């Protein structure tokens, strides 16, 4: 049966750790594997890091730049070279590819989000393999995905993929870092969100010298993908042929089981596409009402708030310790909410001088995270 497969490869798998130069044999094997999956009738998307790493190697830089302007310049140098290598390899196998560069703002605006969806749909319909990366050259810090793990999960969610493969420098997830803890236990299957939350606490650490990811970003990405009903696998990037083995049922990598009832596309856009601009801190009654009873959020349940936001902006809904419970679109600006938080809905017209919405966040615009 035809599947939609998103494959993300990180800088640590694309480059040689000692030099930062491209690992051409890995890229060639990946290309062959993806072409083979396409020939079997699958729709395939590749999310590829490496532009900054390739740019560094091209310019003779010995470490990844920290300053954003320099990093953007280096990415501009590297992206063209990276695409040329992919194009040469895929063309040899007569597989057309397309470059798709995205920024977070492409997913924030609903119309642009749908436009990106339509572009992917057309490309996949034409039998093209889109090669996706963050548009590092123009992305501003507050509107960056931060890493391609998040980007790949959002793409997988957007196109409603069947599989998301996160190719990394370890063969699977472990209970601790196997490089420093010899008896770390391998984890073959994560079957629910609660397990994910625990894993997120246990996995610290940054990515490699040349990359931005790490296990924490991969688990966050898996959380986004499984909420969209996408089966997610973390596996070793040095052996791209393992993708086909996994699809045939071999027990390789760490699998994250998708949620049986995926969240709607619009709610996924609210939860993960938008960048929240404020926080609302809720009392226990409000938390129970939204998380257990599926109710809307009322002003009476809000203790305090922070940030500046307008009507219909996305905000995080948190407990009093700052732990995020949900996200949603607000019916009031931060200025209005400062006046009415903790007050009963019937008092709102008198306080504000006009009749506003009964709810601060309506349940149709609220998603538990």
């Amino acid at each position: 049966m035809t599947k939609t497969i998103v494959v993300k490869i990180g800088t640590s798998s694309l480059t040689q750790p000692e030099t930062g130069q491209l690992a051409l044999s890995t890229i060639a094997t990946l290309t062959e594997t993806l072409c083979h999956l396409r020939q079997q009738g699958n729709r395939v998307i590749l999310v590829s890091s490496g532009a900054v790493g390739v740019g560094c190697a091209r310019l003779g830089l010995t470490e990844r730049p920290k300053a954003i302007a320099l990093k953007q310049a280096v990415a501009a140098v590297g992206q063209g070279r990276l695409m040329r290598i992919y194009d040469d390899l895929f063309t040899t196998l007569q597989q057309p590819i397309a470059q798709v560069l995205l920024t977070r703002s492409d997913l924030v605006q609903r119309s642009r989000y749908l436009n990106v969806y339509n572009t992917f749909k057309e490309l996949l319909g034409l039998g093209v393999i889109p090669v996706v990366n963050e548009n590092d050259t123009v992305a501003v810090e507050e509107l960056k995905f931060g890493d391609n793990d998040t980007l790949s999960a959002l793409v997988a969610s957007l196109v409603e993929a069947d599989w998301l493969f996160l190719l990394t420098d370890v063969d699977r997830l472990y209970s601790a870092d196997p490089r420093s803890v010899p008896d770390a236990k391998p984890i073959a299957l994560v079957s629910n969100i609660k397990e994910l939350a625990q894993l997120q606490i246990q996995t610290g650490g940054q990515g490699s010298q040349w990359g931005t990811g790490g296990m924490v970003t991969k688990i966050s990405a898996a959380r986004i993908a499984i909420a969209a009903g996408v089966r997610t696998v973390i596996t070793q990037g040095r052996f791209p042929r393992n993708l086909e083995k996994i699809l045939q049922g071999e027990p390789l990598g760490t699998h994250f089981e998708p949620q049986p009832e995926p969240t709607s596309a619009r709610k996924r856009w609210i939860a993960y596409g938008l960048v929240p601009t404020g926080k609302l801190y809720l009392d226990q009654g409000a938390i129970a009402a939204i998380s257990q009873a599926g109710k809307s959020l009322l002003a009476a349940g809000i203790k305090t708030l922070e940030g500046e936001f307008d009507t219909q902006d996305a905000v995080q809904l948190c407990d009093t310790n700052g732990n995020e419970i949900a996200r949603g679109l607000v019916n009031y600006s931060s200025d209005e909410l400062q006046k009415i938080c903790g007050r009963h809905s019937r008092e709102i017209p008198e306080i504000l001088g006009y009749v506003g919405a009964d709810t601060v966040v309506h349940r149709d615009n609220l998603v538990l995270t």
Side-chain angles (χ1 to χ4, degrees), residues 175-328:
S175 56
D177 188 337
R179 290 168 290 199
S180 53
V181 183
D183 59 348
K185 302 278 186 294
I187 298 166
L189 182 67
V190 177
S191 52
N192 66 48
I193 295 261
K194 288 195 178 75
E195 282 181 55
L196 264 189
Q198 289 162 350
L199 284 172
Q200 220 153 358
I201 294 159
Q202 290 164 13
T203 41
Q206 271 294 308
S208 67
Q209 177 196 354
W210 299 102
T212 55
M215 271 305 155
V216 174
T217 64
K218 285 169 184 56
I219 292 167
S220 298
R223 178 191 287 265
I224 294 170
I226 64 174
V230 183
R231 190 173 188 88
T232 303
V233 183
I234 293 174
T235 188
Q236 189 126 28
R238 295 275 178 215
F239 308 109
R241 288 203 171 90
N242 282 354
L243 296 182
E244 293 191 90
K245 293 178 182 176
I246 292 166
L247 288 165
Q248 286 157 9
E250 284 196 35
L252 299 165
T254 298
H255 289 239
F256 296 82
E257 279 189 351
Q259 274 181 223
E261 292 176 21
T263 337
S264 73
R266 188 170 182 281
K267 288 205 171 184
R268 292 201 303 274
W269 170 68
I270 292 170
Y272 305 114
L274 297 177
V275 179
T277 51
K279 286 185 177 180
L280 309 184
Y281 295 91
L282 314 184
D283 64 26
Q284 283 304 316
I287 291 169
I290 63 172
S291 59
Q292 290 160 31
K295 292 187 174 174
S296 301
L297 174 65
L298 305 177
I302 303 169
K303 291 176 86 72
T304 56
L305 58 124
E306 65 180 58
E308 288 183 20
F309 47 86
D310 289 321
T311 306
Q312 292 306 302
D313 278 356
V315 296
Q316 294 171 286
L317 309 182
C318 305
D319 64 18
T320 47
N321 298 320
N323 300 311
E324 186 182 316
I325 309 295
R327 287 190 186 185

Side-chain angles (χ1 to χ4, degrees), residues 10-126:
T11 305
S12 63
S13 304
L14 286 170
T15 53
Q16 295 156 357
E18 309 77 33
T19 61
Q21 298 282 351
L22 283 174
L24 289 171
S25 60
T26 302
I27 299 172
T29 310
L30 176 69
T31 304
E32 285 180 352
T33 304
L34 298 185
C35 286
H36 197 224
L37 291 173
R38 260 294 308 128
Q39 285 153 13
Q40 293 166 356
N42 298 298
R43 294 175 290 270
V44 178
I45 296 172
L46 173 62
V47 178
S48 176
S49 303
V52 176
V54 173
C56 286
R58 180 75 184 91
L59 297 168
L61 302 178
T62 53
E63 60 178 37
R64 191 182 178 91
K66 304 268 190 300
I68 192 153
L70 178 58
K71 195 189 292 183
Q72 289 177 318
V74 170
V77 172
Q79 184 64 30
R81 286 182 70 80
L82 186 64
M83 281 307 294
R84 184 190 165 178
I85 289 158
Y86 277 129
D87 198 46
D88 285 348
L89 290 167
F90 278 109
T91 300
T92 306
L93 298 167
Q94 294 166 344
Q95 171 60 51
I97 64 170
Q99 175 174 254
V100 179
L101 295 175
L102 295 174
T103 63
R104 191 74 193 239
S105 50
D106 294 320
L107 301 184
V108 168
Q109 219 178 337
R110 186 77 179 143
S111 58
R112 282 165 76 177
Y113 179 88
L114 294 171
N115 195 38
V116 172
Y117 169 78
N118 289 330
T119 302
F120 275 120
K121 193 174 161 191
E122 292 297 329
L123 287 169
L124 295 172
L126 290 166

